[in-house]
Amino acid sequence: MSAHDFAPAEPVADPAERAVARRLTMWYLVASTAIFLVAGILGAVLRGSQADIYRLGDDAWYAVMTAHGLGAFVGWGAFAVMGFSWWVMSEVGFPMGRAGARLAWAAFWLMVAGVAGVVVTTLGFGFGGSWVFLYPLPFNSAGQWGDATTAVFSASVLLAGLSIIAWCLAVLVVVTGPGLRSRSGSAWNRLGAAMGFGFLAPRRFPTERPVPYSVIPLTVIAIDMIIATLPLAVLLVVMIVQAIEPGVSVDPLLAKNVLWWFGHPVVYLLLFPAVAIYYLLVPRYAQRRLVAGDIIAVGWTIAVIANVLVWAHHMYMDYPNGIQAAINTAMEPMTFSLTLVSALSLYSLLFTMFRSRWVWNAATTALFLGIVSWLLSGLSGVVNATISFNAFVHNTLWVVGHFHHMALLNIGLVIFAAVYAFLPKLTGRALYSDRLGSWHIWLTFWAGTANSVIWLIQGLDGAPRRFAVLPRGYDGLTAASVPVIAVLALAQLLFVWNMVQTIRGRTTAAARREALAGVTRPRPTSAALQGGVAVLTIALLGAMGAAGWAAGRAGDEAPRASGFAALAAGPAVSEPGGPPSPGREVFLSAGCGGCHTLSAAGTTGTVGPALDGAGLAQPAVADVVANGRGAMPAFAGRLSPAEIRAVAAYVAESSRP
Amino acid sequence: MNPTALAIAIAYAAVCLVAAVVLLVVWRSTVSPRPRRQDTTDTARLARGEKAWFAIAVAALGVLLLATIPFIPYGRGAGSPGDQTVRVEGVQFAWVLDAGRLVAGRPVTFDVRSRDVNHGFAVYNSDDVMLFQVQAIPDHPHEVRYTFRKPGTYQIVCLEFCGVNHHRMISTFEVEPR
């Protein structure tokens, strides 16, 4: 049997089996959607604070940033596509089986517990080490959280990691199970068949029907995530041990490699199951088979290997020794080879759509716009992957723009597409409103794209990522992003309303009228309507963006040139707390307040000892400032003797009890 | 904006424009009144075309790789060592500089270290344009070389998240005329 002469796979008609997958998918969907809403609000809160609508404390901002990152990426993106994988496999005729179902439930509860632990340690106990928690930062919190919090946080991430491993095992059990209809008894042979090797060597990997394309990316990522997660699990265990026994430690460069060994494949934990959804739904709505040659199996074989050999592209700016530099350089072509999988998939999906009898509705609009975003964000990813470009975008907001583009508008839109496409079958009820769904998709697409483009531009302009407060030069674009984010947030209310009403079994008046009249509904999203909505949205976003820009610029009287230096002074910029004096100027401009609390200067640093009421003498202060003490650096080379005298006099004066 | 960043912006915008045209063509094709494609014939033809696309993608990525590899800022692209050396150490939340007099037009070697956590050593000019960056990892010193063309004040910005005062970890240094 060749790859080209088969009918689309019919689902296994076992209602009990389908009910298992249905129930699992619904639980994953409801839990991940709840996490999505919370994580989304946290993201909006972060940007609102950057735009100075209100100001979160720095400690709160970084804790919220940590919760938002892990919540949105793992708790929503990964968790949602992990759940839809059960339904995708069920749709292409793979029963869960007892072992598969048990592992799938274990993955569910581990993820829920892990996300709960992350929420409690970040929002409750102030863990703000960012979602990549670069070792040894969790143990150097500058007084913001304790080692016990780090231990609980690490344990929570470990639970999420174990959830991923349980999911991988469940997927492998299911794809090599009876659904494969393999004639081979060997587990390895069945695994090869599930990876699509049968397209290249049908006699060596015999199956009664060609493997459904959706199964291939799921098998690939299930293999890779086990390989990727185990070393991270070891690192997390070591971190828990270190929290109890501080003598234990890990080499920071090794820890960074281990983190990204996991951190790259986890991106594909979102992308590959999303590709499985594309492979299932795009041919279905195009009413034709997926345009895919045997070359697609070659692409996925490259993927399974390249995916675990590209981690160092997150470390292009780490090259302390020749070995790391060589690894980094080798991983540029490896990363390029991995983009071939995306290039092939995009070809398949777009040509499956091209001149097909494509049905336009909320789900298919989401699929198409997801493909659009995949292409555009993939192209910005190629920039990240190129070392000599990366040197100028690394750790800037460009990266934030790139991955929100990828995660929210490629993966996210696929998740929404899957909801609109599958929810009727999952709940046994018609979708509440397809029109509402289309509005949600188009608003999400335009607002989300505008949001990412703003970050991309700011990043190219040198704006750092993970800054609670950005230099004033970036205020204009940050302000412009606020109305965009408001649209994005409101659009999600449409989504939730639609989902809740569908689950409750409600129907819109339009749907009732249509049922009564017994005629088919007019197409709810004509080309003209969609075009009109698009133009209107662009105009609206453009106007709001311009207004935000103008508002930001109007308030921007500080000269651009002192942007970063002004930040070092800390909170005192916005709340002057005493008469100006030369010593105070030095105290603020040299960044003393970043580490020391001195209410006279309005600073609240907690790294070094608080100076309020310390009763220090001027010569002693001058000595410490000039020569340093403990962790405090010497300022003799950075400040002139006159400046040191002035700041010492000021501190002595201000710290009098 | 950094010149390389500007080049990225232009190249990315141009490629996105081409992509947008392709996507619009696909979209229009699904709403056009022309007869729609049937499964039997062209699926196989388009699937064969995928091989050609594979070759095109490999070639395009190969060209990008070969064109940009000479500009990797390490290995052979690291620049020549000069007689001016600066030892710079990141510490939560300050940069400790051990610099003598730096003059423009001659290479400077930065010996970048960290005393506590991961920091990012990025140098911006006084117009907030990023010039170069490297990571500062505890126990693993980095060396980075740069020739300042103009005298003036330069800013060191921490680009790797290092804790609650990360965004205040900013220092300046002076480069003097030759």
Side-chain angles (χ1 to χ4, degrees):
Chain A
M1 182 186 289
S2 94
H4 302 302
D5 57 10
F6 68 98
E10 283 304 312
V12 169
D14 178 355
E17 269 298 342
R18 300 226 74 191
V20 173
R22 177 181 292 124
R23 190 151 173 266
L24 271 166
T25 308
M26 278 306 289
W27 276 79
Y28 274 72
L29 173 60
V30 169
S32 61
T33 304
I35 297 168
F36 165 60
L37 296 177
V38 174
I41 290 168
L42 293 181
V45 164
L46 292 173
R47 204 63 167 143
S49 175
Q50 275 186 331
D52 207 10
I53 297 171
Y54 45 83
R55 277 273 191 234
L56 293 183
D58 298 331
D59 49 348
W61 199 90
Y62 289 117
V64 169
M65 179 186 83
T66 308
H68 167 73
L70 274 170
F73 199 83
V74 181
W76 174 51
F79 201 19
V81 295
M82 282 160 73
F84 276 120
S85 303
W86 314 131
W87 192 247
V88 168
M89 289 192 290
S90 180
E91 290 271 300
V92 296
F94 282 69
M96 293 291 298
R98 270 172 76 97
R102 280 192 184 166
L103 284 164
W105 280 114
F108 176 84
W109 289 112
L110 284 167
M111 184 62 85
V112 168
V115 171
V118 166
V119 169
V120 169
T121 45
T122 52
L123 302 185
F125 291 87
F127 183 90
S130 98
W131 70 298
V132 295
F133 51 92
L134 272 185
Y135 186 89
L137 179 58
F139 297 99
N140 291 264
S141 75
Q144 300 301 307
W145 65 87
D147 286 357
T149 304
T150 294
V152 179
F153 175 83
S154 305
S156 308
V157 177
L158 183 60
L159 290 179
L162 294 174
S163 164
I164 291 169
I165 290 179
W167 178 83
C168 294
L169 293 173
V171 168
L172 292 179
V173 165
V174 174
V175 297
T176 56
L180 187 63
R181 298 186 217 164
S182 163
R183 299 196 195 94
S184 168
S186 146
W188 289 110
N189 188 287
R190 297 167 79 90
L191 194 62
M195 278 184 59
F197 290 170
F199 290 109
L200 302 172
R203 258 175 266 164
R204 284 224 38 217
F205 299 93
T207 47
E208 284 171 29
R209 54 159 188 178
V211 171
Y213 289 119
S214 296
V215 168
I216 303 174
L218 290 174
T219 310
V220 165
I221 197 62
I223 295 168
D224 279 349
M225 284 316 294
I226 294 174
I227 299 168
T229 309
L230 289 175
L232 181 78
V234 172
L235 175 65
L236 288 165
V237 169
V238 173
M239 285 171 64
I240 296 168
V241 171
Q242 183 176 351
I244 300 158
E245 176 51 59
V248 177
S249 71
V250 184
D251 179 83
L253 186 61
L254 176 67
K256 213 170 183 175
N257 277 287
V258 168
L259 177 87
W260 290 116
W261 171 264
F262 169 82
H264 182 77
V266 79
V267 176
Y268 286 179
L269 174 62
L270 275 73
L271 181 61
F272 288 2
V275 176
I277 296 171
Y278 279 129
Y279 280 0
L280 177 70
L281 288 181
V282 168
R284 184 176 289 180
Y285 287 113
Q287 303 178 55
R288 67 194 298 193
R289 270 172 283 161
L290 186 71
V291 172
D294 299 345
I295 193 93
I296 207 164
V298 178
W300 286 106
T301 308
I302 295 174
V304 78
I305 300 161
N307 189 18
V308 290
L309 292 177
V310 295
W311 79 88
H313 69 209
H314 296 262
M315 300 174 61
Y316 279 160
M317 292 299 109
D318 292 89
Y319 45 88
N321 53 55
I323 298 170
Q324 189 72 47
I327 293 174
N328 294 358
T329 310
M331 284 189 184
E332 179 172 336
M334 287 301 282
T335 306
F336 280 11
S337 74
L338 198 48
T339 64
L340 290 172
V341 187
S342 291
L344 288 178
S345 291
L346 285 167
Y347 178 98
S348 289
L349 295 170
L350 286 173
F351 273 105
T352 304
M353 269 189 76
F354 185 62
R355 292 190 61 197
S356 70
R357 287 154 288 177
W358 184 258
V359 184
W360 283 103
N361 58 30
T364 57
T365 306
L367 285 172
F368 177 65
L369 295 178
I371 293 171
V372 170
S373 306
W374 186 3
L375 180 53
L376 300 184
S377 61
L379 291 169
S380 61
V382 172
V383 171
N384 303 343
T386 308
I387 300 177
S388 46
F389 293 157
N390 183 271
F392 299 99
V393 298
H394 190 74
N395 276 338
T396 69
L397 286 175
W398 165 277
V399 179
V400 179
H402 160 72
F403 83 66
H404 279 81
H405 203 172
M406 183 59 92
L408 179 62
L409 293 174
N410 174 17
I411 311 299
L413 284 176
V414 177
I415 293 169
F416 298 140
V419 171
Y420 293 131
F422 294 144
L423 203 56
K425 230 169 172 179
L426 287 168
T427 58
R429 295 169 180 129
L431 187 64
Y432 170 66
S433 169
D434 194 70
R435 186 177 297 235
L436 207 58
S438 294
W439 274 95
H440 162 236
I441 295 303
W442 279 105
L443 288 174
T444 302
F445 174 75
W446 284 115
T449 304
N451 189 37
S452 276
V453 167
I454 288 172
W455 269 320
L456 292 175
I457 296 170
Q458 287 187 314
L460 288 174
D461 203 15
R465 75 193 284 196
R466 301 194 175 119
F467 262 40
V469 183
L470 284 166
R472 301 209 56 191
Y474 304 109
D475 280 357
L477 279 174
T478 305
S481 72
V482 169
V484 171
I485 289 169
V487 172
L488 191 57
L490 291 173
Q492 306 321 308
L493 294 182
L494 305 183
F495 167 64
V496 174
W497 177 246
N498 212 350
M499 206 168 125
V500 168
Q501 291 294 80
T502 303
I503 292 172
R504 289 172 68 200
R506 298 299 170 91
T507 45
T508 55
R512 277 198 296 275
R513 271 200 303 277
E514 165 206 317
L516 284 174
V519 293
T520 51
R521 301 166 63 181
R523 266 201 335 197
T525 53
S526 63
L529 179 67
Q530 289 187 358
V533 169
V535 170
L536 196 71
T537 317
I538 297 169
L540 204 65
L541 290 178
M544 287 193 293
W549 174 283
R553 286 283 149 175
D556 183 14
E557 279 157 20
R560 172 73 209 270
S562 61
F564 283 101
L567 287 180
V573 172
S574 51
E575 39 186 89
S581 75
R584 184 166 180 276
E585 298 280 302
V586 176
F587 187 86
L588 293 174
S589 64
C592 307
C595 296
H596 295 287
T597 296
L598 182 62
S599 40
T603 64
T604 56
T606 55
V607 179
L611 301 173
D612 285 331
L616 302 164
Q618 185 192 353
V621 179
D623 179 52
V624 172
V625 172
N627 302 314
R629 177 189 288 173
M632 178 165 160
F635 283 79
R638 303 166 64 191
L639 299 175
S640 69
E643 286 174 320
I644 292 178
R645 272 198 303 278
V647 76
Y650 172 70
V651 170
E653 165 76 25
S654 314
S655 69
R656 232 182 272 148
Chain B
M1 196 181 275
N2 178 288
T4 307
L6 189 63
I8 293 171
I10 293 167
Y12 180 64
V15 176
C16 281
L17 203 64
V18 174
V21 170
V22 172
L23 294 164
L24 275 174
V25 167
V26 172
W27 176 56
R28 285 301 305 164
S29 77
T30 65
V31 291
S32 113
R34 281 186 299 168
R36 304 300 167 80
R37 286 172 181 267
Q38 298 298 312
D39 262 346
T40 43
T41 52
D42 49 355
T43 304
R45 192 173 58 77
L46 288 168
R48 276 196 301 279
E50 194 164 28
K51 288 190 180 115
W53 168 240
F54 185 78
I56 293 168
V58 169
L61 290 168
V63 168
L64 178 64
L65 185 71
L66 294 176
T68 57
I69 256 185
F71 301 101
I72 292 179
Y74 36 95
R76 267 186 255 162
S80 56
D83 53 353
Q84 313 185 85
T85 304
V86 182
R87 192 187 141 109
V88 52
E89 188 172 39
V91 50
Q92 284 174 327
F93 299 95
W95 293 101
V96 185
L97 252 75
D98 181 9
R101 183 171 167 269
L102 298 178
V103 291
R106 295 218 318 263
V108 181
T109 302
F110 290 91
D111 173 14
V112 183
R113 294 155 188 270
S114 166
R115 200 181 292 174
D116 36 44
V117 300
N118 286 272
H119 297 287
F121 173 76
V123 174
Y124 286 63
N125 68 15
S126 56
D127 291 327
D128 290 353
V129 173
M130 192 210 291
L131 303 177
F132 62 94
Q133 63 166 312
V134 71
Q135 294 279 299
I137 322 179
D139 308 338
H140 296 275
H142 279 76
E143 205 172 82
V144 60
R145 294 163 193 160
Y146 190 81
T147 305
F148 295 95
R149 272 183 293 167
K150 288 185 194 156
T153 304
Y154 290 85
Q155 313 177 73
I156 307 175
V157 179
C158 182
L159 277 195
E160 186 61 77
F161 178 63
C162 64
V164 68
N165 284 311
H166 166 54
H167 57 286
R168 300 209 178 88
M169 189 164 159
I170 286 141
S171 299
T172 56
F173 62 92
E174 298 291 331
V175 173
E176 293 169 21
R178 216 167 171 157

